[in-house]
């Protein structure tokens, strides 16, 4: 707890950290409470006001069915942002465990795991996600799994390299000399000392996850219409772009803002958590 | 890098907007340059995939086979049979036997002469169930095809069939050399051998097909064009932008959402023809819950048909009455449209045993775009009637493989047919080629069969009216709206007449004007 407060305080001292933290905090609030805040049903049609520009009644305007874009953005935040965080969590957790294990055990096991991961990393992340979705079928949850899997190899690499550095430190040798079990060493000695870089990496990856998720929905492989997922909203709005820019601008700007927010937070966290800059 | 697609696309689009303004001067130069070589550049939204004319099944494929091959008859824009390989035809008194007289001196692209034996072999191949030709049943109840000399073909039908010359305009009914059918039919998938107005020069799937003028075409002076390039633009916005920038001369299929914008632009004009092209919601009537007629009727009361046209077809359409026939057809039975009545739907649904509503999954291919639009609109409209429909979209090739003709609840998309009987026999009779609904209603079959057999126009009218009202009552499929055929061309493209059928094109009659376009 104390650590958290200290980190937060340090974060607020740097401008990008402060902006990132505030934006991400707001975003999480919207993700959780968005559906309660939405003034209208995000799926109901308003025949009289198709393609309405922003006004007091429709803050962000309406789309081609006359659906309120503000409500759709609010409701869609949950599926967009929370799912992206979930995808990152899956990728980070599995990747970190694989990386630590591989780095700690070393030898031919390490070789085997790392070469396999190299092979997987040869496939670009989005392609890998597409491949997984083709096998699993398209749905939001499958998209989350696909992104998680696509993120894992990169995470495994980072955690492995950190593990390799930590492994040689004296306190690990001491634990070994005490005769501690390998599992204990991994979880009690190594893991706490590599959390910082992993958290920084994960925060920045959330931004990627949001964009990948939006891309997959854009391609018709993630969320299904009429879900107000932001990427899907952009994809659907494309053909109406010339009649009204609002249906494409509202989710587009939202995605950009979220990506920026997580990037700023990630940068801020890197400065704060980096032991070398913590004087 | 692909992960940034959304932001980048936005940027690109902005940049494209700016560059269109900057380069419009340049584009008119390039357009002017193409006039000399007399080439037409046309965009289609679904790539032609099947080259074998007997197996083609989509507009772009029909287009290719119409240019590369010829049939006995071709379809006029008034839905009557026009001479193609056959110059004249006549039947016996009880319309069970037809004699077609062929043109003489017609040559295939491999140099062989086209004679009655090629026509006979082609028709027999089409009728052979093993060929798997789409629309086989649509050629009519043909019993026998025989040659009488080198230039006469005699077709005998099981039952009287007055529509035979029109039925033979079906896009798959093309004539190929008899010896290729006998020895190497599969080669047509790669190497076309036909007698059409054009010949294939280059074909790259998903990209471009280049066809050049057939100098030996049997109609003297045609085609006017030296070359046609059929380019695939999967993205409607890209296709529109290309037309406005002068990179293509014609769009075969314009999305309703783009039409007004294209029509207002200078130098290009929109083409619009009322048609019997429709989107339907197919229900497999042999499986629950659609085996219950009350469920189907309930759903049909959940559609606000006028609003559907506005939301799905952007106003470029006509309301449907759950039959594939509309005012574009000759024997359309004008009946009052079903009203939007969600209360009645709820009552019917409760009666059917679903008092708490019904959860359904509706599958829609992503092409054309309005399939999923209709699914979403139906979902919203049907909520009030107690239906909870979730929409699942699917890319077009997976849809064709996994869902079309197999799924129990999906959005289908069909072109207008030349006659009422052909439309029914393609989709809704028990023996229909694409019997998706498996409705198999014997009374309906009988109406259609009797109408096919008679030449008496009054009797036909009555029978087709019965067939339509039966469909309206039993709702094997929901047909909420019809779409006008929408296309676009540059003003210097002449001689193109849009066909309401959506599967005939007559590109050999197009010419490109000498006046280079003036773009603002």
């Amino acid at each position: 707890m104390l650590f958290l407060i200290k980190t937060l305080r340090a974060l607020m001292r740097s401008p990008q950290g402060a902006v990132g933290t505030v934006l991400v905090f707001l975003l999480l609030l919207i993700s959780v409470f968005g559906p309660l805040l939405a003034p209208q049903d995000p799926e109901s049609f308003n025949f009289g006001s198709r393609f309405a520009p922003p006004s007091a009644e429709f803050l962000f305007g309406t789309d081609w069915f006359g659906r309120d874009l503000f409500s759709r953005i609010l409701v869609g935040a949950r599926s967009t942002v929370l799912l992206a965080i979930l995808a990152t969590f899956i990728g980070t957790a599995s990747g970190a465990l694989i990386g630590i294990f591989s780095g700690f055990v070393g030898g031919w096991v390490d070789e085997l795991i790392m070469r396999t991961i190299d092979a997987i990393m040869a496939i670009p992340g989005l392609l890998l996600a597409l491949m997984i979705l083709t096998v699993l079928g398209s749905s939001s949850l499958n998209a989350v799994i696909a992104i998680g899997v696509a993120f894992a190899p990169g995470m495994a690499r980072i955690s492995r390299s950190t593990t390799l550095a930590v492994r040689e430190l004296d306190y690990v040798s001491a634990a070994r000399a005490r005769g501690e079990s390998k599992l204990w060493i991994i979880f009690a000695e190594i893991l706490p000392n590599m959390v910082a870089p992993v958290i920084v990496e994960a925060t920045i990856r959330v931004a990627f996850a949001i964009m990948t998720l939006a891309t997959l929905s854009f391609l018709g492989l993630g969320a299904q219409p009429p879900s107000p997922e932001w990427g899907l909203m952009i994809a659907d709005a494309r053909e109406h772009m010339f009649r009204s820019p609002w249906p494409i601008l509202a989710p587009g700007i939202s995605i950009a803002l979220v990506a920026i927010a997580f990037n700023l937070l990630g940068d801020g966290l890197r400065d704060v958590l980096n032991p070398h800059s913590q004087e | 890098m692909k992960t940034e697609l959304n932001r980048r696309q936005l940027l690109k689009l902005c940049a494209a907007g700016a560059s269109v303004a900057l380069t419009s001067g340049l584009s008119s130069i390039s357009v002017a340059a193409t006039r000399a070589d007399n080439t037409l550049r046309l965009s289609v939204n679904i790539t032609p995939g099947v080259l074998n004319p007997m197996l083609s099944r989509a507009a772009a494929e029909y287009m290719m086979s119409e240019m590369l091959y010829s049939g006995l008859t071709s379809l006029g824009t008034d839905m009557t049979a026009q001479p193609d390989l056959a110059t004249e035809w006549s039947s016996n008194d009880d319309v069970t036997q037809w004699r077609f007289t062929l043109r003489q001196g017609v040559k295939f692209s491999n140099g062989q002469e086209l004679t009655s034996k090629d026509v006979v072999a082609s028709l027999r191949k089409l009728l052979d169930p093993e060929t798997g030709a789409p629309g086989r049943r649509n050629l009519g109840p043909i019993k026998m095809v025989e040659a009488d000399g080198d230039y006469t073909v005699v077709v005998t039908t099981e039952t009287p069939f007055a529509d035979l010359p029109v039925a033979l305009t079906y896009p798959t009914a093309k004539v190929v050399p008899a010896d290729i059918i006998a020895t190497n039919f599969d080669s047509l998938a790669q190497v076309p051998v036909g007698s059409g107005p054009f010949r294939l020069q280059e074909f790259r799937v998903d990209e471009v097909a280049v066809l050049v003028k057939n100098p030996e075409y049997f109609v003297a002076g045609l085609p006017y064009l030296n070359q046609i390039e059929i380019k695939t633009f999967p993205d409607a916005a890209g296709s529109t932008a290309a037309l406005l920038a002068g990179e293509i001369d014609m769009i075969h299929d314009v999305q309703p959402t783009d039409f007004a914008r294209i029509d207002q632009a200078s130098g290009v004009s929109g083409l619009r023809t009322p048609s019997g092209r429709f989107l339907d919601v197919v229900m497999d009537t042999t499986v629950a819950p659609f085996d219950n007629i009350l469920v189907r009727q309930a759903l049909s009361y959940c559609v606000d048909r006028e609003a559907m046209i506005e939301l799905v077809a952007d106003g470029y359409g006509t309301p449907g009455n759950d039959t594939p026939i509309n005012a574009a057809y000759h024997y359309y039975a004008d009946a009052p449209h079903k009203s939007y009545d969600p209360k009645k739907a709820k009552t019917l649904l409760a009666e059917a045993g679903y008092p708490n509503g019904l959860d359904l999954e509706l599958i829609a291919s992503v092409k054309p775009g309005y399939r999923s639009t209709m699914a979403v609109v139906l979902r919203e409209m049907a909520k009030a009637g107690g239906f909870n429909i979730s929409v699942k979209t699917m890319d077009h090739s997976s849809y064709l493989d996994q869902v079309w003709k197999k799924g129990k609840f999906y959005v289908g998309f069909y072109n207008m047919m030349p006659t009422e009987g052909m439309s029914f026999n393609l989709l809704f009779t028990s023996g229909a080629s694409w019997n998706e609904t498996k409705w198999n209603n014997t009374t309906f079959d009988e109406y259609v069969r009797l109408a096919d057999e008679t030449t008496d126009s009054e009797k036909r009218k009555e029978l087709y009216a019965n067939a339509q009202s039966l469909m309206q009552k039993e709702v094997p499929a929901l047909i909420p709206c019809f779409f006008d055929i929408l296309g676009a061309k540059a003003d210097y493209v002449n001689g193109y007449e849009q066909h309401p059928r959506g599967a005939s094109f007559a590109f050999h009659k197009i010419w490109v004007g000498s006046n280079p376009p003036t773009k603002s």
Side-chain angles (χ1 to χ4, degrees):
Chain A
M1 201 60 215
L2 195 69
F3 170 77
L4 257 182
I5 293 170
K6 251 170 94 182
T7 318
L8 208 59
R9 231 183 239 153
L11 253 181
M12 297 310 272
R13 271 200 291 274
S14 74
Q16 78 245 50
V19 175
T21 314
V22 171
L23 278 180
V24 168
F25 182 69
L26 278 178
L27 206 76
L28 289 179
L29 278 185
I30 290 173
S31 307
V32 176
F33 299 108
L36 298 176
L37 298 172
Q40 299 202 18
D41 177 356
E43 287 177 16
S44 75
F45 296 178
N46 297 298
F47 281 99
S49 15
R50 301 172 66 199
F51 298 111
S55 65
E57 191 188 357
F58 307 108
L59 273 182
F60 291 172
T62 61
D63 67 6
W64 53 98
F65 290 143
R67 295 178 295 197
D68 178 31
L69 285 169
F70 182 59
S71 305
R72 284 177 73 72
I73 295 287
L74 285 183
V75 175
R78 182 176 287 181
S79 50
T80 313
V81 178
L82 292 189
L83 288 185
I85 293 177
L86 181 65
T88 314
F89 180 77
I90 293 175
T92 309
S94 55
L97 284 181
I98 294 171
I100 297 171
F101 176 77
S102 176
F104 180 75
V105 174
W108 66 269
V109 179
D110 183 37
E111 278 294 315
L112 185 75
I113 293 177
M114 284 339 272
R115 293 301 80 77
T116 314
I117 279 182
D118 283 348
I120 297 174
M121 280 181 85
I123 307 170
L126 185 64
L127 266 190
L128 188 63
L130 282 177
M131 211 170 73
I132 296 167
L133 274 177
T134 318
V135 176
L136 295 180
S138 45
S139 78
S140 296
L141 198 67
N142 287 346
V144 166
I145 295 172
I147 295 173
V149 173
F151 274 5
M155 230 46 216
R157 278 215 147 166
I158 291 167
S159 48
R160 172 178 173 268
S161 63
T162 327
T163 309
L164 286 185
V166 175
R167 187 174 72 164
E168 305 306 326
L169 295 179
D170 288 345
Y171 58 81
V172 179
S173 309
R176 264 187 233 260
R178 286 203 304 274
E180 303 288 2
S181 76
K182 279 183 178 161
L183 268 184
W184 196 88
I185 297 179
I186 287 181
F187 283 102
E189 301 286 354
I190 297 182
L191 194 63
N193 288 292
M194 49 161 297
V195 155
V198 168
I199 284 184
V200 171
E201 179 67 19
T203 315
I204 291 173
R205 284 206 173 228
V206 172
F208 280 102
I210 284 173
M211 288 191 283
T212 313
L213 204 61
T215 308
L216 289 176
S217 300
F218 178 86
L219 295 172
L221 292 168
Q224 296 293 318
S227 145
E229 205 275 337
W230 296 348
L232 183 66
M233 282 173 73
I234 293 183
D236 284 346
R238 262 183 328 157
E239 51 179 295
H240 304 281
M241 189 170 58
F242 290 95
R243 287 200 282 182
S244 166
W246 302 109
I248 214 166
L249 279 181
I253 293 175
S254 306
I255 290 177
L257 267 183
V258 174
I260 292 169
F262 274 100
N263 268 319
L264 287 177
L265 179 67
D267 283 350
L269 277 176
R270 179 182 345 218
D271 294 345
V272 172
L273 294 178
N274 188 344
H276 301 293
S277 64
Q278 230 172 24
E279 275 87 50
Chain B
M1 106 182 213
K2 268 283 172 75
T3 50
E4 291 183 9
L5 188 65
N6 291 295
R7 275 195 314 193
R8 289 231 170 133
Q9 273 228 333
L10 204 66
L11 279 176
K12 258 192 193 163
L13 289 167
C14 297
S19 63
V20 165
L22 284 172
T23 56
S24 57
L26 278 178
S27 66
S28 61
I29 295 171
S30 74
V31 167
T34 60
R35 298 312 104 217
D37 56 13
N38 209 2
T39 296
L40 181 81
R41 297 153 307 168
L42 170 87
S43 87
V44 295
N45 57 3
I46 301 178
T47 193
V50 176
L51 258 188
N52 190 322
M54 295 194 183
L55 304 178
S56 61
R57 53 199 176 156
E61 290 162 12
Y62 293 160
M63 196 181 280
M64 297 269 287
S65 59
E66 190 191 82
M67 286 190 268
L68 298 170
Y69 297 89
S70 314
L72 271 184
T73 49
S74 67
L75 192 66
T77 45
D78 57 351
M79 297 290 170
T80 57
Q82 302 291 326
D84 198 5
L85 286 173
T87 48
E88 53 190 42
W89 49 90
S90 59
S91 75
N92 61 359
D93 287 339
D94 58 352
V95 276
T96 52
Q97 195 172 65
W98 290 81
R99 293 177 72 82
F100 293 86
T101 312
L102 300 184
R103 274 173 212 275
Q104 304 194 4
V106 175
K107 288 239 168 68
F108 282 115
S109 52
N110 63 4
Q112 286 174 359
E113 202 201 342
L114 189 154
T115 62
S116 54
K117 74 173 195 320
D118 301 306
V119 178
V120 171
S122 299
L123 286 177
R124 284 184 182 159
K125 184 73 180 171
L126 276 162
L127 293 167
D128 182 355
E130 270 186 31
T131 313
R136 175 177 66 88
R137 277 256 327 169
N138 273 61
L139 303 180
I142 299 175
K143 185 165 67 178
M144 215 161 44
V145 185
E146 283 167 317
D148 180 12
D150 274 354
Y151 300 106
T152 304
V153 174
V154 180
V155 179
T156 316
T157 54
E158 306 259 4
T159 50
F161 187 53
D163 284 335
L164 187 74
V166 181
L168 290 178
T169 66
Y170 198 83
T172 53
K174 301 293 180 209
V175 175
V176 301
D179 55 337
I180 289 191
I181 291 179
T183 57
N184 205 359
F185 182 64
D186 291 337
S187 74
L188 292 173
Q190 271 88 40
V191 188
V193 182
S195 56
F198 293 91
R199 285 176 184 172
L200 189 65
Q201 189 181 55
E202 196 183 352
F203 179 46
R204 278 172 279 154
V205 177
D206 284 322
E207 215 175 312
V208 69
V210 181
L211 296 97
V212 293
K213 178 179 185 159
N214 171 7
E216 295 171 321
Y217 186 54
F218 52 74
V219 181
L222 289 179
Y224 297 125
L225 291 168
N226 285 336
Q227 187 169 317
I228 292 191
E229 292 167 19
I230 299 179
K231 300 184 173 191
T232 304
F233 279 79
D235 186 60
S239 167
T240 306
L243 179 74
L244 296 179
E247 282 165 32
I248 53 171
D249 308 313
M250 206 163 115
I251 302 181
H252 171 253
D253 222 340
V254 170
Q255 296 303 300
T257 44
D258 281 334
F259 189 75
R261 188 164 67 94
I262 294 177
D263 203 30
Q264 281 155 16
S266 68
V268 294
S269 44
L271 306 164
R272 179 181 176 190
T273 308
S275 160
R277 168 186 285 186
F278 62 88
L279 277 182
D280 64 344
V281 177
V282 175
M283 295 172 275
D284 185 339
T285 59
T286 57
V287 299
F290 304 113
D291 53 352
N292 190 334
I293 183 171
L294 294 171
V295 172
R296 308 200 303 264
Q297 286 170 337
L299 193 60
S300 82
Y301 281 109
C302 288
V303 184
D304 182 340
R305 287 155 207 264
E306 292 292 339
M308 193 70 118
I309 298 172
E310 204 49 52
L311 292 171
V312 181
D314 273 85
Y316 303 111
T318 44
N321 220 354
D322 299 335
T323 88
I325 307 304
N326 73 345
Y329 284 91
H330 191 64
Y331 296 108
Y332 168 57
D334 196 3
H337 291 122
K338 279 183 198 154
S339 54
Y340 178 54
D341 193 347
K343 268 203 191 113
K344 186 159 183 177
K346 240 182 184 151
T347 320
L348 285 169
L349 208 54
E351 226 176 286
Y354 302 97
N356 301 321
L358 183 55
D359 291 341
L360 295 169
E361 185 185 66
L362 178 60
I363 300 180
S365 154
V366 295
K367 266 190 198 154
Y370 40 69
R371 284 202 212 224
S372 60
T373 310
M374 175 152 115
V376 171
V377 173
L378 180 66
R379 167 195 153 92
E380 194 57 35
M381 287 178 173
K383 257 185 198 163
F387 287 90
N388 182 17
I389 299 174
S390 59
V391 176
K392 186 176 162 68
T393 55
M394 203 176 248
D395 76 277
H396 194 64
S397 49
S398 322
Y399 158 79
L400 286 180
D401 280 350
Q402 297 163 19
V403 179
W404 186 49
K405 296 187 281 179
K406 301 186 190 93
K408 70 170 190 174
F409 194 45
Y410 62 91
V411 181
F413 175 62
Y414 294 100
N415 274 325
M416 185 177 182
M417 288 285 128
T419 68
E420 293 76 4
M422 278 167 223
S423 187
F424 291 138
N425 280 318
L426 185 70
L427 297 169
F428 296 108
T429 54
S430 310
S433 317
W434 298 332
N435 183 8
E436 323 168 272
T437 64
K438 305 183 188 80
W439 183 36
N440 301 354
N441 185 304
T442 45
T443 322
F444 179 80
D445 290 351
E446 198 60 14
Y447 288 144
V448 176
R449 189 181 64 80
L450 289 173
D452 278 347
E453 288 180 5
T454 179
T455 47
D456 178 353
S457 163
E458 276 306 306
K459 209 167 153 200
R460 271 197 153 180
K461 189 173 181 174
E462 188 195 326
L463 287 163
Y464 281 138
N466 289 344
Q468 289 171 59
S469 79
L470 191 61
M471 278 195 75
Q472 221 180 314
K473 208 171 85 203
E474 298 221 346
V475 201
L478 204 64
I479 304 181
C481 64
F482 290 87
F483 293 79
D484 296 348
I485 304 244
L486 300 175
K489 64 174 188 63
D491 288 340
Y492 51 85
V493 174
N494 300 299
Y496 179 60
E497 202 179 344
Q498 220 176 13
H499 202 294
R501 163 92 166 85
S504 295
F505 313 93
F507 286 151
H508 55 291
K509 292 180 182 160
I510 291 180
W511 75 94
V512 174
S514 52
N515 51 326
T518 49
K519 294 214 174 216
S520 52

